[in-house]
Every structure is written in structure tokens, then in C-alpha cells.
Amino acid sequence: MQPYQPPIEDYRFLLGEVLNFDEAMGELGIEVDATLAEAVLEEAGRYCAERLQPINREGDEHGCSLKDGEVITPPGFAQAWHGFTEAGWTSLSAHPEFGGQGLPFILQLWLDEMLSATNMSFGLFAGLTRGAAEAIAAHARDDLKATYLPHLTSGAWTGAMALTESGAGTDLALLKTKAEPLSEDRFAVTGTKIFISSGDHDFGGNVVHLVLARLPDAPAGVKGISLFLVPKFLPDTSGGHTLRNTLSVGALEKKMGIHAQPTCVMNYDGAIGWLVGEPNRGLAAMFTMMNAERLMVGIQGLGQAGGAYSQAAAYARERLQGRSADGKRSCVPIIEHGDVRRMLLEVRSFVEGGRALAGWTALHLDRAQRHADAAERARSDALVALLTPVIKAGFTDLGFEGAVQAQQVFGGHGYIREWGMEQFVRDARIAQIYEGTNGVQAIDLVGRKLGMDDGKVVADFFARIDTDLAAAAGDVGEVAAAVGQALALLRDATAALKDADAEEASGAAVDYLRLFALVAMGWMWARMAAVPGDTPQHTAKRAVAQFYVRRILPQAEGLAAKLSAGSASLFLLPAEAF
């Protein structure tokens, strides 16, 4: 496997020439410029390349094990975690009040991309810890914040999210875990959860579980779910956390991929926990963590495709096979073959377009949290909410497809473990499933997000695209025109879905989300292609933009045709005939 090359040049291009990073930071009063941001990303990329990629394959082959009820992670993972925390990477975007660095979220998101490209199993420890901290910061009492947030921010402790039960997957209304009050603020949590990523490890320190459970008098359904902070270790009389709580790992799931990530069956046997947020409002509190995780998972798809692409491109430049197109040369590098170029460009056009869209979204997340104008905060928050299911589902679908395409470049070698490509495919697959399956994300987009503020949020987003396409038309007319035509199809589909019933919306949702993602990335390609300059990077951007609008964006017409066909054909076959 080739050493990982962090995409620093692309980050630099996006920060300085596409996303107007310095201007955005100035508007928010954040004293970070592109030069500092690049330096941070360079250091992050170095850590991922030098410490995390080298243990990725061994972690996959060794996997996690369970010994005397304790999880043992693969060799090198505990040491890598301690190095990661000592370098401050867990505190990158966290609030300074609890020891965080308070850096812009775009740096966090692109760090997540590099983590996913080099060691997805490892990156989950960091992402879940950050998500737990965000939920506690948003909803917990001040004493819980003071106790837990400094340790989670530093990475001395880690976090886990415990939602799923064997009989309650996506439908959380069916969950059965109970929480019995012991005192005014302490509860005994009893139940079993499955699929709990980072449920335990051997890094040392505490593991802070956020657990959904029901109080004795809770109403039925999702309106009766509360959220509890349940730590592995409880506070002792000396002010430390050394008392073992009554939660345990019942088993480790045997999985298709992310073998180095301990996915646990967790048993809570009257485990002591504290209520986070209001009683029976736990789902709303948990969604603070889930929405953060959904952006992270989308970036996992992006990172996996990017990591696989870099391996495939290097292989294609070196692998000699076949004759040149004119038949005059034999044993040419396979990068000269049209079909190999097609596969590589399909992956690259997603990775670079997705990276730009993720960066734009991350800047709006900072606006939603830090802008001085409340109306601007609300506007950006709505845009992030709109794009969250698009990034989660669109990026993970395209990320898996990209990993498969990159594997295909290797031919038979891609199927053999030593080249590392089959691990990309196996690891990428989970991102389409967890944190809400991609079908659920699509239904969320169509059923909830399109209707925000009576459709004004999505209309605002489309208007932003219109403005940028008009500005780009004079420089890259073909690109802007093609994206404009696809946007028109997306607008028509949006209008058609406005009054759709649940059956129609469900049948259309996945195709609609993919159409939305393709147009949104086309918008980014128009912006990137319109950047003036004659460096190799500028030339490459314009070339890939041409490929995107000629070979990828035409999918929009097929998706629009599928959407206009309606859902009737989905229900012609009786259920018993399947």
C-alpha cells in the first residue's frame, strides 16, 4: 500500500480561492486565517499518515477481543490514542470553557476526512467522544458539564451512544431499557443495547455512555424516552472516578468491516446514571449527538473514497498492461486506458466536489453557532439541517461506490488482502447503515427538511446556487449551464414532492436525495472551475469539472424520470409475492 498523502493542496485551494475562509472568519470574529488553518491540517495529516495508516491493516486483521469482560483493542491502538490526545486533536473544535481550542468546525470536518481515509475504526473513537461532549454541553446540568466535559474534551475519557436494541432499531418507540429513580438526580438503568460503537476499550480512563431509557411513568412511544449519562466508572470519595459501574460488555459483534472498532452488546444491570435534559425529552437531546455524528459519517464516506482513490491512482500510474490506444506501444501504464481513467475520474469528481460541499457546510455550522446576528444564525442552522441528510446519505452511497471503483482499478489484485483495497470496501459499507440508514435519511430530507419554514429554506439554498451559476457563466459557461439544467430538474422534483403523501414521498426519497447531492456537488464544481488561474491545480479543476458535468451530472435526467414515474409500480406486486 502507498503511504497516505493528505490532500493539503486541495484544502489550501478551497480555503483561499473557493470558500473565502478569511472573510468568513473575519465576519464571525474568529482569529484564525487560512495560513494557520493550513498549518493545523498539515499536522493532522502528518499524524494520520505516520501513526494511523500504519496500524490500519493490522487492526483490521487482528480485530478486537473480549477478555474477562474487558475489550482489548488491536496492537498500537491505545498508544495511538494517547498520542492523538496529547497532540490535542480531540479538543480541536471544542469550546474553550472546557479545555477546547475553539477552532473552526471546517478543520474538524477535514480532520475527520483524513482519519477516515487512514483508519476509520480509530476515527470512530474520536467522533463519538466529540458527539457525546456536544450533547452533554447542550443539554446536561452544569455540574455534569463540569465533571465530564473537560475529560471528554481532552480525550482522557471517551464517549459512546447507546440507542439501539435488538427489537428497536430505527423505531426507537419500541425500546425497553428502563431507568428507575434512586434519588432526586440518580437513576438505575437496566437493559441491553446492541451495535454500540466504542462501548469499551483498553485506553484507560472512563467511558461515558449516553443511554436512551424509559422512566416508570413515561408515556408510550418516542415521547416517553429520556436520556441518561451512564459512566463506566463512578465518582469515589476522593474525587476520582474509580468505582466500577454495573454495566458490562456482553459480546463483541462479528462484522463485515471496521474490525478494529469494538462494536459492543452492552448490558446495563441497574447501572447508575444521571438524567440529561428534561424527562421524556431524551430523543431531542440525543439528536444533538446524532446530527453531529451524521455529518461525521458522511465524511467517513468521503474519506474512504479519497483514501481508496489515492491508492488506485498511484497503482494506475505504475501498473503496466495492455497496448496504447494507437496500438504502437505495448506494456503501457494502465492510466492510459480510457476505462481506467473513467473509474478514477468518477471517484475523484465525487471526492473533490464532496470535500468542497462539506467545507461550505462546516462554515455555515460555525455561522449558526457564532454569528452576531440571530437571524443569520437561524438561516445557517437551517441550511446545515437541510444538508445533513444529503451529506450523510449522499456521501456514504457515493463513497462506497467510489471504494468499489477504486478496487476495480486493481483488477484481481484489488480482491487480495495485501493491497488493502478490499478493506476500503468492507469498512465503507457500514457508513450507509449506521446513524440512520440512508433510506431513513432520504425520508427525513423529503418528509421534514423540504418543508422547513414552508419551503423557504430549500428555496434559499437553490437561490444561492443560481447566484453562483450566474457569476460563473462568463468563465465556465458549459459547466454553469449544465448545473443550471440539473437544478431546474431538482426544482421541478421539489415542487412535485411538496404535497406528496407518505407513500409517494417514501418511494421517491432515495432518488430525490441523490439528485439533490449531484446538483449540490455540481454547484461546487462550477465554483471551483470558475476560479481564475493557470497553475496545474486550476487546470486540473477545470478538467475534472468538465468530466463531472458531461459524465456524472447527466444522471440527473434519469433520476428526474424515475421521480416523475411515481410510486405506483412499487406496490403492484402483493407483499406475499416477494
Side-chain angles (χ1 to χ4, degrees), residues 6-199:
I8 303 303
E9 287 301 317
D10 207 31
Y11 293 146
R12 182 178 294 116
F13 171 73
L14 292 173
L15 290 169
E17 301 190 68
V18 180
L19 300 177
N20 302 317
F21 178 78
D22 287 352
E23 180 182 333
M25 294 300 99
E27 185 178 2
L28 298 179
I30 301 174
E31 295 181 358
V32 177
D33 61 13
T35 301
L36 176 58
E38 292 161 17
V40 171
L41 290 167
E42 285 178 0
E43 286 301 313
R46 185 175 296 113
Y47 193 89
C48 291
E50 295 177 358
R51 296 291 302 278
L52 299 184
Q53 187 195 34
I55 62 173
N56 186 44
R57 179 177 166 186
E58 184 178 6
D60 177 65
E61 294 182 348
H62 192 281
C64 295
S65 59
L66 194 60
K67 183 177 181 180
D68 299 328
E70 302 290 333
V71 168
I72 309 299
T73 58
F77 268 62
Q79 294 87 339
W81 179 257
H82 295 312
F84 190 76
T85 60
E86 288 166 8
W89 295 117
T90 56
S91 66
L92 193 66
S93 61
H95 198 284
E97 180 183 355
F98 301 106
Q101 300 176 55
L103 290 172
F105 189 71
I106 191 171
L107 303 184
Q108 181 67 66
L109 211 61
W110 283 344
L111 167 60
D112 287 345
E113 180 192 352
M114 291 187 282
L115 288 171
S116 299
T118 53
N119 198 319
M120 185 167 156
S121 291
F122 182 93
L124 276 161
F125 290 108
L128 287 162
T129 299
R130 185 175 74 248
E134 290 174 358
I136 292 167
H139 299 285
R141 304 191 316 256
D142 288 343
D143 60 323
L144 293 177
K145 293 179 187 179
T147 298
Y148 289 93
L149 287 181
H151 298 289
L152 290 169
T153 299
S154 71
W157 297 355
T158 62
M161 178 169 58
L163 288 74
T164 308
E165 300 178 9
S166 59
T170 299
D171 191 355
L172 293 173
L174 301 176
L175 71 81
K176 298 179 179 179
T177 299
K178 299 293 185 183
E180 297 285 343
L182 298 175
S183 63
E184 183 178 350
D185 63 346
R186 286 161 61 94
F187 296 81
V189 177
T190 301
T192 297
K193 301 285 186 177
I194 63 171
F195 305 157
I196 308 307
S197 300
S198 302

Side-chain angles (χ1 to χ4, degrees), residues 140-141 144 185 187 215 226-229 273-279:
R141 304 191 316 256
L144 293 177
D185 63 346
F187 296 81
L215 293 166
S226 299
L227 181 63
F228 299 88
L229 188 160
W274 288 264
L275 183 68
V276 175
E278 299 176 18

Side-chain angles (χ1 to χ4, degrees), residues 37 47 49 61 75 103 119 240 279 281 293 368 370 376 378 417 421-422 439 521 569:
Y47 193 89
E61 294 182 348
L103 290 172
N119 198 319
R281 295 278 298 161
E293 298 307 307
R370 307 195 198 196
E376 284 298 317
R417 174 161 291 189
M421 302 309 292
E422 56 87 34
M521 286 187 290
S569 62

Side-chain angles (χ1 to χ4, degrees), residues 15 23 86 131 217 248 332 340 373 511 538 549:
L15 290 169
E23 180 182 333
E86 288 166 8
D217 58 350
S248 61
V332 297
V340 172
D373 186 331
D511 290 325
H538 292 102
V549 299

Side-chain angles (χ1 to χ4, degrees), residues 512-532:
Y512 178 84
L513 186 145
R514 191 178 187 95
L515 176 58
F516 199 116
L518 292 176
V519 172
M521 286 187 290
W523 166 48
M524 286 291 118
W525 274 115
R527 289 183 60 160
M528 290 188 285
V531 174

